[in-house]
Amino acid sequence: MLFTEAAKTGIAFILAATLLGGGFANPARAQGLEGLLNGALQYFALDNLSDTQEAAYGRRIHEQLVRQGKVRLSRDRRLVARVTNMGRRLARTSGRPQLPYRFFVVNDRSVNAFTTMGGYVYVNAGLAKGVRSDAELAGVMAHEIGHLVARHAINQMRQAAVTQGIAGALGQNDNLLVSLGVSLYQRGYSRDDEYEADALGVRNLARAGYPANGLPDFLRRLQGGGGSAEFLSTHPASANRVQRLEEIIRTEGLPMRRR
């Protein structure tokens, strides 16, 4: 459960008092109070998950993705070690270093990467093998970690729950929240989310000691037709993304690798 019973009681009292004060004390309308309360609880709960709670949900989503065959994990030990070591280095300098990150290589030839809540970062083998430098791979991973720092997956789940009208049901059944996370695992983020993850990522690259231009170099190559469109299908493409990144690098004096 996401809230203690004491917290639920307190919120219930406040919400009930508000509704009753507004003239909703008749039995017919009171029947909807519990559903409204549960929806409100879940809405706020997703905003206030502790790192431990978020990681627990992330683990359950990961287990479902693997069990359902949506994600097939690579057994290439050298590639997995490369991605894991790079991810841990970036995690230490990220905006949420306390999150228990987990890094995986997906046995998929397409060029793509994605995250789920709780610190779970996935890089397709096609991307990990197709980058031209460590800086490019680190740039992609720093971008994905940026989504986790900004809690974009949690925000996306909350919005989807409200849109689908299941926020109240989520408050009663944690399994629904996990199922929602599974259904959204490769859903693209908004352009604003991508811009934010880009900015967080490129700054983290510099803090971790990687050339900051690794990320814009990778994006420029894909947008120029130098790679699979899969990454761009789940990460909204915009020429402005590269321009914004280069502006950040230039104005903040972030270290670059010479081309």
Side-chain angles (χ1 to χ4, degrees):
M1 299 179 71
L2 303 182
F3 278 89
T4 64
E5 291 303 320
K8 285 187 175 183
T9 301
I11 297 174
F13 178 82
I14 295 171
L15 184 56
T18 301
L19 292 176
L20 292 174
F24 297 112
N26 65 76
R29 294 188 177 183
Q31 290 178 353
L33 176 59
E34 183 177 359
L36 179 60
L37 171 61
N38 287 331
L41 284 172
Q42 186 63 34
Y43 187 87
F44 290 114
L46 285 171
D47 275 340
N48 292 281
L49 286 175
S50 68
D51 291 335
T52 300
Q53 289 172 320
E54 185 183 341
Y57 281 116
R59 175 182 56 78
R60 291 174 61 187
I61 292 170
H62 170 77
E63 290 172 350
Q64 287 290 330
L65 289 172
V66 173
R67 185 178 299 117
Q68 295 176 17
K70 296 180 183 296
V71 167
R72 294 178 296 111
L73 300 180
S74 172
R75 296 182 180 180
D76 185 332
R77 293 183 179 180
R78 182 175 298 180
L79 191 60
V80 171
R82 181 189 183 197
V83 167
T84 299
N85 291 336
M86 189 173 289
R88 288 174 177 171
R89 177 175 168 181
L90 290 163
R92 286 194 294 270
T93 56
S94 73
R96 296 182 70 187
Q98 74 286 353
L99 197 64
Y101 292 88
R102 298 288 304 278
F103 301 93
F104 302 92
V105 176
V106 181
N107 189 19
D108 190 319
R109 294 181 180 179
S110 64
V111 177
N112 204 10
F114 57 94
T115 61
T116 60
M117 65 189 296
Y120 284 72
V121 180
Y122 303 84
V123 179
N124 282 7
L127 188 152
K129 294 178 179 179
V131 294
R132 293 182 176 175
S133 66
D134 280 353
E136 285 194 0
L137 179 55
V140 172
M141 296 184 68
H143 170 90
E144 297 302 331
I145 290 172
H147 283 304
L148 290 166
V149 170
R151 294 177 169 84
H152 290 156
I154 294 176
N155 294 338
Q156 186 182 65
M157 290 175 69
R158 185 186 65 239
Q159 293 166 4
V162 172
T163 300
Q164 296 176 27
I166 60 173
L170 289 179
Q172 293 292 316
N173 187 349
D174 284 356
N175 290 331
L176 278 178
L177 190 148
V178 174
S179 296
L180 184 61
V182 170
S183 71
L184 297 173
Y185 82 102
Q186 275 192 328
R187 178 80 58 87
Y189 293 110
S190 70
R191 182 165 294 176
D192 285 343
D193 285 350
E194 294 297 338
Y195 284 151
E196 184 175 20
D198 282 347
L200 291 169
V202 76
R203 292 176 179 125
N204 191 23
L205 271 179
R207 289 195 300 271
Y210 290 103
N213 57 310
L215 180 56
D217 283 355
F218 176 79
L219 291 174
R220 183 186 296 105
R221 186 158 58 86
L222 286 192
Q223 291 170 358
S228 167
E230 184 69 21
F231 185 87
L232 297 180
S233 71
T234 56
H235 298 71
S238 170
N240 289 334
R241 288 181 64 188
V242 172
Q243 295 173 7
R244 284 170 177 248
L245 284 168
E246 292 181 336
E247 179 67 17
I248 291 173
I249 292 171
R250 182 171 57 255
T251 59
E252 298 182 14
L254 302 182
M256 294 176 58
R257 178 194 67 250
R258 292 184 179 179
R259 291 190 177 91

